[in-house]
Coordinates of all heavy atoms in Angstrom, one line a residue:
C1 N 0.9 -1.2 0.0 CA 0.0 0.0 0.0 C 0.9 1.2 0.0 O 1.9 1.2 0.7 CB -0.9 0.0 1.2 SG -2.0 -1.3 1.4
A2 N 0.6 2.2 -0.8 CA 1.4 3.4 -0.9 C 0.6 4.7 -1.0 O -0.5 4.7 -1.6 CB 2.4 3.2 -2.1
C3 N 1.2 5.7 -0.5 CA 0.7 7.1 -0.7 C 1.9 8.0 -0.8 O 2.8 8.0 0.1 CB -0.2 7.5 0.5 SG -1.0 9.1 0.3
G4 N 1.9 8.9 -1.8 CA 3.0 9.8 -1.9 C 2.9 10.5 -3.3 O 2.0 10.4 -4.0
P5 N 4.0 11.2 -3.6 CA 4.1 11.9 -4.9 C 4.0 10.9 -6.1 O 4.4 9.7 -6.0 CB 5.4 12.6 -4.9 CG 6.2 11.9 -3.8 CD 5.2 11.4 -2.8
K6 N 3.6 11.4 -7.2 CA 3.4 10.5 -8.4 C 4.7 9.7 -8.8 O 4.6 8.5 -9.2 CB 2.8 11.3 -9.6 CG 2.5 10.4 -10.8 CD 1.7 11.2 -11.8 CE 0.3 11.5 -11.4 NZ -0.5 12.1 -12.5
P7 N 5.9 10.3 -8.9 CA 7.0 9.5 -9.2 C 7.3 8.3 -8.3 O 7.6 7.3 -8.8 CB 8.2 10.5 -9.1 CG 7.5 11.9 -9.4 CD 6.2 11.8 -8.7
M8 N 7.0 8.5 -7.0 CA 7.1 7.4 -6.1 C 6.1 6.3 -6.4 O 6.4 5.1 -6.5 CB 7.0 7.9 -4.7 CG 6.9 6.8 -3.6 SD 6.3 7.4 -2.0 CE 5.3 6.1 -1.5
L9 N 4.8 6.7 -6.6 CA 3.8 5.8 -6.9 C 4.0 5.0 -8.2 O 3.7 3.8 -8.3 CB 2.4 6.5 -6.9 CG 2.0 7.2 -5.6 CD1 0.6 7.7 -5.8 CD2 2.0 6.2 -4.5
R10 N 4.6 5.7 -9.2 CA 4.9 5.1 -10.5 C 5.9 4.0 -10.2 O 5.8 2.9 -10.8 CB 5.4 6.1 -11.4 CG 5.6 5.6 -12.9 CD 6.1 6.7 -13.8 NE 5.1 7.8 -14.0 CZ 5.3 9.0 -13.6 NH1 6.5 9.4 -13.0 NH2 4.4 9.9 -13.8
A11 N 6.9 4.3 -9.4 CA 8.0 3.3 -9.2 C 7.4 2.1 -8.3 O 7.8 0.9 -8.6 CB 9.1 3.9 -8.4
V12 N 6.6 2.4 -7.4 CA 6.0 1.3 -6.6 C 5.1 0.4 -7.4 O 5.1 -0.8 -7.3 CB 5.2 1.9 -5.4 CG1 4.4 0.8 -4.7 CG2 6.1 2.6 -4.4
K13 N 4.3 1.1 -8.3 CA 3.4 0.3 -9.2 C 4.2 -0.7 -10.1 O 3.9 -1.8 -10.2 CB 2.6 1.3 -10.1 CG 1.8 0.7 -11.2 CD 1.1 1.8 -12.0 CE 0.6 1.3 -13.4 NZ -0.5 0.3 -13.2
A14 N 5.3 -0.1 -10.6 CA 6.2 -1.0 -11.5 C 6.8 -2.1 -10.7 O 6.8 -3.3 -11.2 CB 7.3 -0.1 -12.1
Y15 N 7.2 -1.9 -9.5 CA 7.8 -2.9 -8.6 C 6.8 -4.0 -8.3 O 7.0 -5.2 -8.4 CB 8.3 -2.3 -7.4 CG 8.8 -3.3 -6.3 CD1 10.1 -3.8 -6.4 CD2 8.0 -3.8 -5.3 CE1 10.6 -4.7 -5.5 CE2 8.4 -4.7 -4.4 CZ 9.7 -5.2 -4.5 OH 10.2 -6.1 -3.6
A16 N 5.6 -3.5 -8.0 CA 4.5 -4.5 -7.6 C 4.1 -5.4 -8.7 O 3.9 -6.6 -8.6 CB 3.3 -3.7 -7.1
E17 N 4.0 -4.8 -9.9 CA 3.6 -5.6 -11.1 C 4.7 -6.5 -11.6 O 4.4 -7.6 -12.0 CB 3.0 -4.6 -12.2 CG 1.8 -3.9 -11.7 CD 1.2 -2.9 -12.7 OE1 1.8 -2.8 -13.8 OE2 0.3 -2.2 -12.3
E18 N 5.9 -6.1 -11.5 CA 7.0 -6.9 -11.9 C 7.2 -8.1 -10.9 O 7.6 -9.2 -11.4 CB 8.4 -6.1 -11.8 CG 8.5 -5.1 -12.9 CD 9.7 -4.2 -12.7 OE1 10.4 -4.4 -11.7 OE2 9.8 -3.2 -13.5
N19 N 6.8 -8.0 -9.7 CA 6.9 -9.0 -8.7 C 5.6 -9.7 -8.4 O 5.5 -10.5 -7.4 CB 7.5 -8.5 -7.4 CG 9.0 -8.1 -7.6 OD1 9.9 -8.9 -7.6 ND2 9.2 -6.8 -7.9
D20 N 4.5 -9.4 -9.1 CA 3.2 -10.0 -8.9 C 2.7 -9.9 -7.5 O 2.2 -10.8 -6.9 CB 3.2 -11.4 -9.4 CG 1.8 -12.0 -9.6 OD1 0.9 -11.2 -9.9 OD2 1.7 -13.2 -9.4
I21 N 2.8 -8.6 -6.9 CA 2.3 -8.4 -5.6 C 1.1 -7.5 -5.6 O 1.1 -6.4 -6.3 CB 3.4 -7.6 -4.8 CG1 4.7 -8.5 -4.7 CG2 2.9 -7.3 -3.3 CD1 5.9 -7.7 -4.1
P22 N 0.0 -7.9 -5.0 CA -1.2 -7.0 -5.0 C -0.8 -5.7 -4.3 O -0.1 -5.6 -3.3 CB -2.2 -7.8 -4.1 CG -1.7 -9.2 -4.1 CD -0.2 -9.1 -4.2
C23 N -1.3 -4.6 -5.0 CA -0.8 -3.3 -4.5 C -2.0 -2.3 -4.7 O -2.7 -2.2 -5.7 CB 0.4 -2.8 -5.4 SG 1.0 -1.2 -5.1
W24 N -2.1 -1.4 -3.7 CA -3.1 -0.3 -3.7 C -2.4 1.0 -3.5 O -1.5 1.1 -2.7 CB -4.1 -0.5 -2.6 CG -5.2 -1.6 -2.9 CD1 -6.4 -1.4 -3.5 CD2 -5.1 -3.0 -2.6 NE1 -7.0 -2.6 -3.7 CE2 -6.3 -3.6 -3.1 CE3 -4.1 -3.8 -2.0 CZ2 -6.5 -4.9 -3.0 CZ3 -4.4 -5.1 -1.9 CH2 -5.5 -5.7 -2.4
L25 N -2.7 1.9 -4.3 CA -2.1 3.3 -4.4 C -3.1 4.3 -4.0 O -4.2 4.3 -4.5 CB -1.5 3.6 -5.8 CG -0.6 2.5 -6.4 CD1 -0.2 2.9 -7.8 CD2 0.7 2.4 -5.5
S26 N -2.7 5.3 -3.2 CA -3.5 6.5 -2.9 C -2.9 7.6 -3.7 O -1.8 8.0 -3.4 CB -3.5 6.8 -1.4 OG -4.3 7.9 -1.1
L27 N -3.7 8.1 -4.6 CA -3.2 9.2 -5.5 C -3.4 10.6 -4.9 O -4.4 10.9 -4.3 CB -3.9 9.1 -6.9 CG -3.3 8.1 -7.9 CD1 -3.2 6.7 -7.4 CD2 -4.2 8.2 -9.2
E28 N -2.4 11.4 -5.2 CA -2.5 12.8 -4.8 C -2.8 13.6 -6.1 O -2.0 13.6 -7.0 CB -1.2 13.3 -4.1 CG -0.9 12.6 -2.8 CD 0.4 13.1 -2.2 OE1 1.2 13.7 -3.0 OE2 0.7 12.8 -1.1
E29 N -3.9 14.3 -6.1 CA -4.3 15.2 -7.2 C -4.9 16.5 -6.7 O -5.5 16.5 -5.7 CB -5.2 14.5 -8.2 CG -4.7 13.3 -8.9 CD -3.7 13.7 -10.0 OE1 -3.7 14.9 -10.4 OE2 -2.9 12.8 -10.5
R30 N -4.7 17.5 -7.5 CA -5.5 18.8 -7.1 C -7.0 18.5 -7.3 O -7.4 17.9 -8.3 CB -5.0 19.9 -8.0 CG -3.6 20.4 -7.7 CD -3.3 21.6 -8.6 NE -1.9 22.1 -8.3 CZ -1.7 23.0 -7.3 NH1 -2.7 23.5 -6.6 NH2 -0.5 23.4 -7.1
M31 N -7.7 19.0 -6.4 CA -9.2 18.8 -6.4 C -9.9 20.1 -6.4 O -9.4 21.1 -5.9 CB -9.6 17.9 -5.2 CG -9.1 16.5 -5.3 SD -9.7 15.5 -3.9 CE -8.7 14.0 -4.1
A32 N -11.2 20.1 -6.8 CA -12.0 21.3 -6.8 C -13.2 21.0 -5.9 O -13.3 21.3 -4.7 CB -12.4 21.7 -8.2
C33 N -14.2 20.2 -6.4 CA -15.4 20.0 -5.6 C -15.2 18.9 -4.5 O -15.8 19.0 -3.5 CB -16.6 19.6 -6.5 SG -16.4 17.9 -7.2

């Protein structure tokens, strides 16, 4: 499970998928409503 800036999440996603590990990411984005 990960939460952080997009470059970090991109690297975690790649690591998880390369190693076939279930992974959940919490994305940080600018929001309005």
Side-chain angles (χ1 to χ4, degrees):
C1 297
C3 183
K6 187 172 286 187
M8 171 192 143
L9 297 183
R10 187 180 294 118
V12 172
K13 171 180 164 68
Y15 174 87
E17 293 175 7
E18 287 168 7
N19 292 277
D20 196 27
I21 302 173
C23 176
W24 283 269
L25 307 174
S26 180
L27 273 55
E28 296 179 345
E29 291 288 343
R30 290 184 177 274
M31 296 182 187
C33 73

